[in-house]
Amino acid sequence: RRTWTPRPRTSAPPRGGGAAVPRERWARALAAADPEAGLKSRGVSTDTVGFGAVRQSVAEIAAALRFNDLSDAAGYDAFDEDEDGKVSLSDLRAAVATLNLNLDEGSTKAVFEYLEDQQAKGFIDREAWIAALAKAGDDAAAILGSRGVQGGSAAEAPV
């Protein structure tokens, strides 16, 4: 009867094989990370507007919804200008113009690309819209506060 004797490893374990990465190497990898390249690899354009500007633009939209006493879900429906159940770039442009939001074409397009449904290209994903606007709540409140509106509704604006 033969017995099996393990041989010593002569090469590194395969990737993902559970070997720990030294802390210094991990820190170097994180320091060298390029978030912009990561966004671009996922189809998000960063050429004209940075992520901070997109966040500010989403907060502007959230502030407008709160000022008009609309929930994030009701805001999605309100931005659906052609009432087809989806928010397209043309819907977003029209709503931005109607609400007189302080968003230029580049900012509007960047918001659209940030929220665009990756499975149904050409439309903003409803759940992504709701999540992004909910996350922008504090920024939206700050925008409204800077304009003299406390609590988020038009009824509370100073006279």
Side-chain angles (χ1 to χ4, degrees), residues 51-64 66 132-147 149 152:
F51 181 72
V54 170
R55 181 178 164 189
Q56 180 66 25
S57 298
V58 170
E60 288 281 343
I61 293 169
R66 281 150 185 76
L133 270 69
K135 198 182 295 184
D138 290 343
D139 294 334
I143 289 169
L144 290 171
S146 73
R147 296 175 183 163
V149 178

Side-chain angles (χ1 to χ4, degrees), residues 3-141:
T3 60
W4 179 75
T5 306
R7 294 184 184 173
R9 266 196 182 151
T10 57
S11 63
R15 289 186 156 227
V21 175
R23 181 180 212 110
E24 296 78 26
R25 184 173 170 198
W26 181 251
R28 281 193 312 272
L30 287 177
D34 184 358
E36 190 169 334
L39 289 171
K40 284 182 179 178
S41 74
R42 289 164 178 78
V44 178
S45 173
T46 59
D47 294 334
T48 58
V49 180
F51 181 72
V54 170
R55 181 178 164 189
Q56 180 66 25
S57 298
V58 170
E60 288 281 343
I61 293 169
L65 296 181
R66 281 150 185 76
F67 183 78
N68 288 290
D69 294 322
L70 290 172
S71 69
D72 299 332
Y76 183 89
D77 296 334
F79 271 60
D80 179 16
E81 290 281 323
D82 57 11
E83 299 180 353
D84 65 353
K86 302 178 247 177
V87 176
S88 64
L89 181 56
S90 63
D91 289 334
L92 183 61
R93 285 181 179 133
V96 164
T98 299
L99 292 170
N100 199 26
L101 296 177
N102 190 24
L103 303 180
D104 62 18
E105 175 61 24
S107 297
T108 302
K109 190 168 185 204
V111 167
F112 180 80
E113 290 174 352
Y114 175 69
L115 298 173
E116 186 176 18
D117 188 328
Q118 295 305 303
Q119 281 71 44
K121 289 276 191 189
F123 301 99
I124 292 177
D125 178 69
R126 183 182 190 86
E127 298 308 314
W129 170 277
I130 292 169
L133 270 69
K135 198 182 295 184
D138 290 343
D139 294 334

